[in-house]
Amino acid sequence: MASAIQKISLSSSRDIPLNKLVLSQSNVRRIKAGQSIEELAADIERRGLLQGLNVRPVLEDDGTETGMFEVPAGGRRFRALELLVRQKKLNKTALIPCVVRAAGSPILAEDDSLAENTQRAPLHPLDQFRAFRTLLEKGLSEEEIAAAFFVPVTVVKQRLRLMTVSDALLSVYEEDGMRLEQLIAFSISDDHERQAQVWDIISQSHNREPYLIRRMLTEKTVRASDARVRFIGLDAYVAAGGHVMRDLFEADDGGWLDDPTLVDRLVIDKLNAIAEEIRAEGWKWVEAARSFPWGHTRDFYEIEGTGVLLSEDEAASLHALHAEQEMIEAEYAEADELPEAIDERLGEIEQAIEALEERPLAYAPSDMARAGVFVSLDTDGSLLIERGFVRAEDMPVVEDDADNDDGLDHADVPEGNEASECDRDDVSVTEREAEEDEETGKPLSDRLLTELTAWRTLALRDAFAANPRVAVTELLHTLVRDLFWQSAGTDCLEAYVREISLPVHAPDMPGSAPAHALRQRNEGWKHDLPQDDADLWHWLDRLDETSRMALLAHCLSFGINAQYERMPSYGAVSQRGISDRLARADRLASALGLDLVEAGWQPTVENYLGRVTKAHILEAVREARGDAAAARIAHLKKGDMAREAEQVLDGSGWLPKALRTQGPVASDGDGEMVSGSADIPDTVAAE
């Protein structure tokens, strides 16, 4: 017969006056830092004691009980009760519920203390979320919940943010099907259908990282830091019925706007409203767009405006603003950091000064009647207004012997579009050909090479304009070749300085850092030039040497051409000439130390990754992040692979070979400089 299972006996419990309790020296919790006794005392004051103390009788030397009890387990609660007594909030004789261990127990007091502190299970985050949600539904505010549990309000908000996650995903997390970080990533969107789609995709993938979940949930959204959002304002978007997705767990730079169509409509509406105001000034036409192509004004004539003098009141205001600015800067010259209010005031002063100093030019009504204005967004989200452009058909007919007094700067009149237009690739291919291409390292398309090298040309122009010494050296090199060698090759630098158009370019190029720098530099010089052409030569002659060289470099920079072009066999320029141009561009880039990463280029789906084969994508990831990173995305389809690669390559500094600056170039022994233009089709070099 099986023996009966021996039943255990539990220690008895009783209420003991607080002044009969002492803290045991057997309590294993010795370190007092971070114990938050004050918070526990406040919680006991609010809701009472939720858990009793574990005590043992204190014995005399002969083994008899003294009537006192020591507390080996529950010392933090005991200290909190003592604090309440000192605060006059609890009587020192108050009865405390205790579990009394027998004096002769074989279980050591240290054993009880250690067990109580180690055998506790922390509350599951999902249980905490559900508890907070229940309290919220029963009428408590987020602040009241935070105060009751002595946690920051942000913690409560973060836990309650999980309410946006679907019950299906909460169940997956509850069953350990995903990590807490992954569940948190889903909380940025309240679209349960999209959450399910994303989980269905990544649950079958090796990569389930939270950043990928966030990116997939926000891939069809607009960042709050986007130039369009800065232009229209977040409040206007919300007022129009838009919703902003926020991430309460990580820095989200203002969040994501989940209705790109609404954003674009608000941008266009605001631009059109501004365009109507400008049209009322008397212009013949006004064009408004989010952005215009690079070089969109090159085929227009430009009329000259005159500066508007400040009124006496405006001049006095400007003087007062400058004086206040100088006083503040002098007062805080030694400060490491400005107070927030002072920094805000300086910003207001700078804006007010800019509004007074950089006012629109005034134009003659007769000129405005045949000229127009371009209205668009600048790269920082500010309004960009370009006034005073005349179409060729609107130009007045001027007789040869008539005085040239039409207000136009004829030195800037374009000679026509002399630049050759790059043939556009036929981007439509059959599905079978596309699938075959994805499995091979097929050379980059001619159009993509042209776009990449157009980007490089723009950045090269900016670096060229910023280095007058190299600019003059390149100019002399070109002139000497033409004068002494009668070189008929196609030079990287078109020394007669005709602006080379960049008609084929990626969408991100007009808003890039080099484009902004060139535009700002050009506007600065244009502002400084004399209005009268008769004074121009003398003005240039009186410039200091540094300014003369800087202006020379700036003018020459517009002749820089580092573009790849696929020329027809009967073209005026051969592919050998294009190859020579690119080799010289490489040498110039090396001399300038051109770095396209510093210039702002980075690989995206739009400008590179979505335009090349899977083999090229994997090669890029492998070069930038290693074989393991490439292996993690190798199984993906082309579109998913491109989007994932964009995230992986972000911040890596990786560049396609066509954009890389080679090391110092060397001579081939015949006086020609040799430099390898990477990623250019072999047929170019063979011709």
Side-chain angles (χ1 to χ4, degrees):
M1 178 182 294
S3 59
I5 299 177
Q6 185 176 1
K7 304 296 189 295
I8 63 173
S9 297
L10 300 178
S11 298
S12 61
S13 61
R14 55 186 281 197
D15 293 338
I16 301 175
L18 180 60
N19 61 352
K20 297 294 184 180
L21 301 176
V22 294
L23 188 63
S24 173
Q25 296 303 309
S26 300
N27 193 300
V28 297
R29 189 187 289 273
R30 302 291 176 85
I31 299 175
K32 297 181 180 180
Q35 290 189 19
S36 59
I37 302 299
E38 293 79 5
E39 292 181 359
L40 180 56
D43 188 71
I44 293 174
E45 179 186 2
R46 175 176 175 267
R47 72 177 89 246
L49 192 64
L50 297 180
Q51 182 179 353
L53 306 180
N54 182 290
V55 302
R56 294 175 180 236
V58 177
L59 305 179
E60 297 282 4
D61 292 339
D62 58 3
T64 60
E65 296 186 5
T66 64
M68 300 292 291
F69 295 84
E70 62 177 354
V71 184
R76 180 165 165 264
R77 273 162 283 150
F78 176 71
R79 290 193 183 95
L81 293 169
E82 285 186 321
L83 177 59
L84 289 172
V85 171
R86 291 196 298 271
Q87 294 174 345
K88 310 296 184 182
K89 296 177 179 179
L90 181 70
N91 290 325
K92 62 181 179 180
T93 58
L95 297 178
I96 308 301
C98 300
V99 174
V100 183
R101 175 79 75 177
S105 173
I107 304 298
L108 298 176
E110 290 84 357
D111 194 344
D112 282 346
S113 178
L114 182 63
E116 185 182 71
N117 285 283
T118 57
Q119 293 189 11
R120 61 176 65 181
L123 191 65
H124 194 281
L126 196 55
D127 289 330
Q128 187 184 36
F129 150 65
R130 287 168 173 163
F132 283 171
R133 182 176 62 181
T134 300
L135 294 175
L136 188 70
E137 291 171 348
K138 290 186 176 182
L140 269 67
S141 67
E142 294 174 344
E143 290 74 14
E144 290 172 332
I145 296 173
F149 293 94
F150 303 99
V151 296
V153 177
T154 53
V155 172
V156 178
K157 290 180 179 293
Q158 287 175 348
R159 288 293 179 259
L160 292 176
R161 182 67 181 178
L162 298 179
M163 293 173 66
T164 62
V165 182
S166 69
D167 290 337
L169 292 183
L170 292 176
S171 298
V172 172
Y173 171 60
E174 185 175 1
E175 297 169 4
D176 292 330
M178 71 170 70
R179 305 193 313 272
L180 177 60
E181 294 81 5
Q182 294 169 320
L183 183 70
I184 286 173
F186 278 105
S187 71
I188 66 173
S189 171
D190 55 7
D191 185 343
H192 291 179
E193 183 178 351
R194 181 57 181 160
Q195 290 176 357
Q197 292 173 349
V198 171
W199 176 247
D200 185 57
I201 293 172
I202 69 166
S203 62
Q204 304 176 39
S205 168
H206 296 292
N207 187 357
R208 303 182 185 182
E209 292 304 312
Y211 77 84
L212 178 59
I213 296 173
R214 288 186 175 90
R215 187 181 61 77
M216 294 178 69
L217 288 171
T218 60
E219 62 185 355
K220 295 182 180 180
T221 63
V222 178
R223 292 300 299 257
S225 57
D226 188 275
R228 291 170 291 171
V229 181
R230 293 201 296 270
F231 175 65
I232 62 175
L234 201 57
D235 292 341
Y237 169 78
V238 174
H243 176 254
V244 181
M245 300 164 52
R246 298 302 305 266
D247 190 341
L248 299 182
F249 298 87
E250 293 188 3
D252 61 7
D253 200 17
W256 298 265
L257 284 65
D258 61 3
D259 193 342
T261 302
L262 177 59
V263 172
D264 288 334
R265 179 172 63 79
L266 292 174
V267 168
I268 293 300
D269 289 348
K270 187 172 181 179
L271 286 173
N272 286 336
I274 295 172
E276 288 303 314
E277 294 177 3
I278 295 174
R279 195 187 313 275
E281 297 174 3
W283 299 99
K284 180 176 181 179
W285 53 266
V286 179
E287 289 190 18
R290 176 180 159 189
S291 64
F292 291 100
W294 175 257
H296 62 283
T297 62
R298 67 186 306 272
D299 291 328
F300 288 79
Y301 298 89
E302 189 171 358
I303 62 175
E304 293 293 339
T306 57
V308 179
L309 296 177
L310 296 175
S311 66
E312 291 184 4
D313 291 341
E314 289 171 334
S317 297
L318 182 60
H319 178 75
L321 288 168
H322 278 300
E324 184 181 357
Q325 183 183 44
E326 292 172 1
M327 182 185 68
I328 293 175
E329 291 175 348
E331 182 178 352
Y332 292 93
E334 303 298 328
D336 294 332
E337 186 175 351
L338 294 175
E340 183 176 349
I342 298 299
D343 187 50
E344 183 177 344
R345 176 56 185 160
L346 277 177
E348 294 173 353
I349 292 174
E350 290 173 358
Q351 290 181 356
I353 291 176
E354 183 179 354
L356 288 170
E357 291 184 339
E358 300 184 8
R359 300 194 300 176
L361 299 175
Y363 297 88
S366 59
D367 290 337
M368 296 172 65
R370 52 190 170 87
V373 183
F374 293 101
V375 180
S376 61
L377 290 187
D378 209 340
T379 54
D380 61 354
S382 60
L383 185 65
L384 178 61
I385 302 176
E386 300 169 286
R387 291 178 169 88
F389 293 93
V390 184
R391 298 186 178 103
E393 60 268 24
D394 293 331
M395 284 297 297
V397 178
V398 181
E399 300 295 337
D400 292 341
D401 57 349
D403 291 334
N404 182 16
D405 59 357
D406 58 5
L408 290 169
D409 183 1
H410 290 279
D412 292 335
V413 174
E415 300 174 3
N417 187 3
E418 299 173 354
S420 61
E421 297 287 339
C422 297
D423 294 335
R424 294 186 175 271
D425 296 332
D426 182 2
V427 296
S428 60
V429 295
T430 65
E431 292 184 1
R432 180 182 58 79
E433 291 171 336
E435 293 174 356
E436 293 175 355
D437 289 346
E438 297 309 325
E439 304 303 326
T440 67
K442 180 183 177 182
L444 305 187
S445 71
D446 292 341
R447 178 178 175 83
L448 179 56
L449 276 172
T450 302
E451 288 187 6
L452 292 174
T453 51
W455 224 105
R456 189 190 194 206
T457 296
L458 188 69
L460 192 56
R461 288 177 179 179
D462 182 39
F464 186 95
N467 196 320
R469 184 189 61 79
V470 174
V472 173
T473 301
E474 181 65 17
L475 172 62
L476 290 174
H477 180 266
T478 301
L479 295 177
V480 167
R481 278 166 53 95
D482 291 343
L483 180 62
F484 294 96
W485 300 342
Q486 289 78 44
S487 173
T490 302
D491 286 336
C492 166
L493 173 63
E494 305 285 353
Y496 43 87
V497 191
R498 170 176 54 83
E499 182 179 355
I500 306 303
S501 65
L502 306 175
V504 180
H505 59 72
D508 65 336
M509 196 181 82
S512 64
H516 183 70
L518 279 168
R519 185 162 54 244
Q520 292 292 100
R521 188 182 292 113
N522 195 64
E523 289 298 319
W525 280 115
K526 186 175 179 181
H527 180 269
D528 292 342
L529 290 175
Q531 299 296 321
D532 191 346
D533 183 61
D535 296 333
L536 179 60
W537 192 92
H538 297 288
W539 183 84
L540 292 171
D541 189 50
R542 288 192 298 268
L543 278 180
D544 61 88
E545 193 62 22
T546 300
S547 298
R548 285 162 56 87
M549 299 300 285
L551 179 56
L552 173 61
H554 174 68
C555 293
L556 290 174
S557 71
F558 286 91
I560 290 292
N561 188 1
Q563 292 183 97
Y564 166 81
E565 296 176 76
R566 190 53 163 170
M567 306 302 295
S569 57
Y570 52 82
V573 180
S574 68
Q575 286 301 139
R576 186 177 187 84
I578 300 297
S579 181
D580 181 55
R581 170 203 294 172
L582 296 175
R584 295 190 62 198
D586 282 343
R587 186 205 65 245
L588 187 56
S590 297
L592 290 166
L594 181 67
D595 187 342
L596 266 293
V597 175
E598 290 185 1
W601 193 93
Q602 60 180 6
T604 65
V605 173
E606 192 173 41
N607 70 9
Y608 184 81
L609 299 169
R611 313 279 299 285
V612 298
T613 65
K614 293 173 66 174
H616 283 299
I617 297 175
L618 292 174
E619 179 185 9
V621 173
R622 191 176 295 111
E623 289 181 357
R625 300 300 190 189
D627 292 338
R632 284 197 295 269
I633 66 172
H635 66 286
L636 298 176
K637 295 181 179 179
K638 167 68 178 297
D640 293 335
M641 179 185 291
R643 287 188 291 271
E644 178 66 12
E646 178 179 333
Q647 184 72 29
V648 172
L649 293 175
D650 185 29
S652 68
W654 180 86
L655 293 170
K657 293 180 180 178
L659 296 185
R660 299 174 188 173
T661 296
Q662 306 298 320
V665 293
S667 172
D668 65 357
D670 296 324
E672 283 295 312
M673 305 305 289
V674 179
S675 174
S677 282
D679 219 17
I680 303 301
D682 295 338
T683 54
V684 175
E687 292 181 8

